[in-house]
Amino acid sequence: MDNIQILEIELKDYRQYKGEVVIPLKVESENNINVIQGQNGAGKSNILNAVTLCLYDEEIHIDTNDRQGLDTDPFVNLSRLENLDVGDTARGHVEIKLGREKPQYIFKREFTTGKLGEDEYESDTGELQLHQKIGEDWIPNEQPLTRLSEIIPTRVHKYFFFDGEQLNDFFDKGYTDRVKSAILDVSHIELLNRAASHLEDVQSDFEKESANFEGKTERKERSYREAKEQLEELEDEYSQLETDIEDAEEHKDEIDKKLSDSRDEEVRNKQSRRQYLNEKIDDLKDDLVDARSDAGEALAKAGMVVYNEDALNFARQEFDEMESDGELPPKIQRWFVDQLLERGECICGEHLDGSEEKQEQLLNLRNEVPNTTGETIEGKIEVPSVLTEGEDRVENLIQQKSNVEKIREDISSKETELQEISAFLESKDIPDDIDVNHLETRRKDLESRINEMSEEKGQLESRITRQKSTVNERREEWEEEMEKESKRKVLLRKVEFVQNAKSKVEHIRTNILNQVRQQTEDQLEEYYNSLIWKDEHFDIELTDDYQIKVLSPSGEKALGSLSVGERQVLALSFMASLSQISGFSAPILIDTPLGRISSDPKKRIAQNIPQYLEDTQVTFLMTDEEYTSDVKVFFSDHVANEYKLNYNDEVTEVNPL
Amino acid sequence: MKEDQVHSLIREHTDDIEEDELRSFIKEILAHERPRLDEPGPPFRERYKSLVDDHVNNNSLSDYDNDG
């Protein structure tokens, strides 16, 4: 047997099984069927319950005929409980050995029932325990649920361990939802649903984030380019002005040269004098810059005293008053007295030797000494000196300002003289010589134009400086936007990637659903036709909306028109299909598989059952009505173990048939 | 099959994805989700975003620019 099987079930005081009851169930590939036969109430369904209680902590079979219901009965065998006193507890367990040929896992769950009062009990279950065979040793496994979930997880166990009687309800009203849910269970569609949903959330996160970086790049770049173009225009304008000034200067120099070469001595002298004056004015302008700088510095130094003169005079007056009151300079410092007291010395240098009188005198002296700080003494010396120094600084300031004025006047007088020279030359008309007056007029125009252009150049320089700053700011703004845009591109790429992944997952989901539906349909048809007792072949269709249609050669049979037996066979086939598709190769345990099937079809089903789920251990819990002599004949070559449950006096014994 | 393994049908379909990064990414998120399938509202954002970073950064942005 390649698949995992239940090798043995051990019941200890579980419900009607008193003491320790062991049921060996090992099968072989060719004999893959176990039959446990028992009348209703003998404890058949409780074997199914024992398995699901042990592994999943739940009892799958609910006895609808029981007035109180099985779940209200105590777990521990009633005859054990009879001897208990109120407040006492009894315990039992279910143990299941799983493996292929030999036991590999022993799952065990203990349970307790406490007696609360007369016929009043409370049951509880313990944690699942597991021992695993490693080599020759049985080692406790700390994670039994993890190991169990590798064999038959909780989610799909209902397709392996189930009650055949209850399957009759499977195809009642609303069955399409149950079929859909079962198919989703076994095909992991929920895994894909969850991945797609999470991808959508992550995509949405990236989209929101990318909106924060939405671009103004183009606008900022345009703005930067415009500013740069304006700067280039200003620089061109500046450059043109420089050229024009140079041309004008050159032209003026030519005129000066002509005037210097005049045959008229007076003209030459005036021209010479003008050149001298111009040179002097240039020098004086340099001197004026220096003198202004010196005056500014002198103002800064003098201003400090001038602006605080009232406060300084007030302070000097206060110090004078302190001096006249004898507080300054102090005869003795308070800190000095403090040190004497600390050292225990008198002011004359002798030790106080604990003399309270001397100590008191020193304390009195300390209180009499005014608390004069070092700053006060320093202030008394410094303030008059600052005031005196301030006066010197003011005098220096006046001197510097006077220098500035003197240079200005000097420049002004030289400029006046230049104007006079120009006026003289303009009025000069010398026959047979150069056209002095015309040249001078021209020179004057040039000089005026040069001055205008120089002023314009200065203004342009300021505009260029401001424009450069604007260009830099706009370039930085553009670069910031480019950086944001770059981040946005990465985010958009992430959005696109996640979106692609989501589409793929959804595509896979659709394909798998179709594939699983198709596989279920194929398996269902195969199992149904192998189990059903009729000769004709039935087509089974599982529609997109999870309806199951049974199509006979004579036409479609509505599920409602199927006999009880046909419906049970359909349900058995469906469960077998799901257990196959789930991907888990685990044993199957079915309670009352043929309970609702009448005698003739039962024989036919029994004939076909050995082919049902080959290479899988199948254990049937059957009533006497199900496991008839006819059925036994068909099963005989394939049954590995047969047991009969004998129920007597609230206790069931398990005996080989 | 182990409980923490992805169903063979899903594995077959994810293996068929041609784009390497997409295939690897989807396998990783399914492996992340598989053991948490029975948990209601398991955390995922941090892991998903980290995986996106790993896979998107494997492709050069210039490829994306050229595509775009």
Side-chain angles (χ1 to χ4, degrees), chain A residues 335-499:
Chain A
W335 59 264
F336 178 66
V337 184
D338 285 339
Q339 281 188 358
L340 287 175
L341 284 164
E342 198 178 314
R343 291 203 298 269
E345 283 178 7
C346 179
I347 202 159
C348 59
E350 288 182 11
H351 279 282
L352 293 174
D353 295 330
S355 165
E356 286 183 11
E357 191 185 341
K358 285 180 182 172
Q359 191 153 353
E360 197 178 332
Q361 280 174 355
L362 267 177
L363 281 169
N364 288 338
L365 176 63
R366 184 187 178 279
N367 292 335
E368 283 166 15
V369 171
N371 191 13
T372 310
T373 62
E375 284 89 358
T376 312
I377 299 162
E378 203 178 327
K380 162 70 182 138
I381 300 159
E382 287 293 323
V383 167
S385 141
V386 168
L387 280 166
T388 311
E389 200 179 312
E391 284 165 12
D392 295 344
R393 287 178 183 183
V394 170
E395 267 180 35
N396 182 43
L397 172 62
I398 293 166
Q399 180 62 45
Q400 293 297 341
K401 288 197 77 173
S402 162
N403 284 348
V404 170
E405 281 310 308
K406 199 178 157 210
I407 294 169
R408 269 190 190 146
E409 281 167 15
D410 208 359
I411 290 171
S412 178
S413 90
K414 287 185 170 53
E415 283 174 342
T416 306
E417 192 182 343
L418 280 173
Q419 282 168 7
E420 287 166 2
I421 290 170
S422 182
F424 170 79
L425 291 173
E426 257 186 316
S427 65
K428 194 79 179 172
D429 185 13
I430 307 166
D432 301 329
D433 196 3
I434 51 169
D435 191 355
V436 175
N437 59 351
H438 178 256
L439 283 174
E440 182 58 28
T441 304
R442 177 72 187 135
R443 186 186 185 283
K444 201 172 164 185
D445 289 345
L446 281 171
E447 203 162 51
S448 166
R449 180 65 191 134
I450 288 168
N451 286 339
E452 277 173 19
M453 287 192 295
S454 297
E455 198 174 323
E456 212 176 320
K457 193 180 149 196
Q459 288 171 356
L460 212 48
E461 270 176 352
S462 304
R463 285 178 66 193
I464 287 171
T465 306
R466 286 200 302 274
Q467 191 62 25
K468 277 183 178 170
S469 160
T470 304
V471 168
N472 282 339
E473 280 171 18
R474 291 192 183 175
R475 194 189 58 242
E476 280 169 16
E477 285 174 2
W478 178 42
E479 281 170 357
E480 273 176 29
E481 289 304 314
M482 283 197 295
E483 200 175 328
K484 281 164 79 175
E485 186 63 27
S486 162
K487 285 180 184 168
R488 185 165 176 266
K489 274 187 181 175
V490 173
L491 282 166
L492 288 179
R493 171 153 177 70
K494 289 180 182 177
V495 168
E496 188 185 297
F497 183 78
V498 173
Q499 197 171 20

Side-chain angles (χ1 to χ4, degrees), chain A residues 497-601:
Chain A
F497 183 78
V498 173
Q499 197 171 20
N500 282 344
K502 184 165 72 89
S503 299
K504 289 280 181 200
V505 168
E506 285 170 346
H507 183 68
I508 291 172
R509 179 186 179 280
T510 306
N511 283 348
I512 286 183
L513 260 185
N514 289 335
Q515 201 174 338
V516 169
R517 195 165 39 226
Q518 186 59 52
Q519 280 187 11
T520 309
E521 187 181 280
D522 293 346
Q523 294 268 7
L524 189 53
E525 188 174 301
E526 186 188 327
Y527 286 129
Y528 186 78
N529 280 298
S530 71
L531 284 180
I532 199 71
W533 54 89
K534 298 180 178 177
D535 292 332
E536 66 261 52
H537 182 84
F538 291 86
D539 288 330
I540 307 279
E541 189 184 336
L542 183 56
T543 65
D544 288 351
D545 53 356
Y546 300 95
Q547 285 187 55
I548 293 177
K549 291 181 178 174
V550 181
L551 306 162
S552 72
S554 55
E556 182 183 336
K557 292 186 81 170
L559 284 192
S561 70
L562 293 178
S563 69
V564 173
E566 287 170 330
R567 279 157 68 95
Q568 183 139 1
V569 166
L570 189 63
L572 282 172
S573 305
F574 185 66
M575 300 305 260
S577 304
L578 293 177
S579 61
Q580 286 290 90
I581 292 165
S582 74
F584 292 93
S585 50
I588 288 178
L589 184 64
I590 313 173
D591 184 19
T592 339
L594 309 173
R596 300 293 182 93
I597 299 170
S598 53
S599 109
D600 197 34

Side-chain angles (χ1 to χ4, degrees), chain A residues 51-58 109 148 152-154 157 161:
Chain A
V51 171
T52 56
L53 181 76
C54 174
L55 299 178
Y56 306 104
D57 201 16
E58 68 165 343
R109 194 184 298 272
L148 176 64
I152 323 171
T154 308
H157 81 262
F161 307 129

Side-chain angles (χ1 to χ4, degrees), chain A residues 89-105:
Chain A
T89 298
R91 61 179 63 241
H93 68 252
V94 179
E95 193 177 277
I96 297 173
K97 287 182 182 157
L98 290 174
R100 289 180 172 79
E101 290 301 317
K102 291 180 178 175
Q104 289 169 265
Y105 308 102

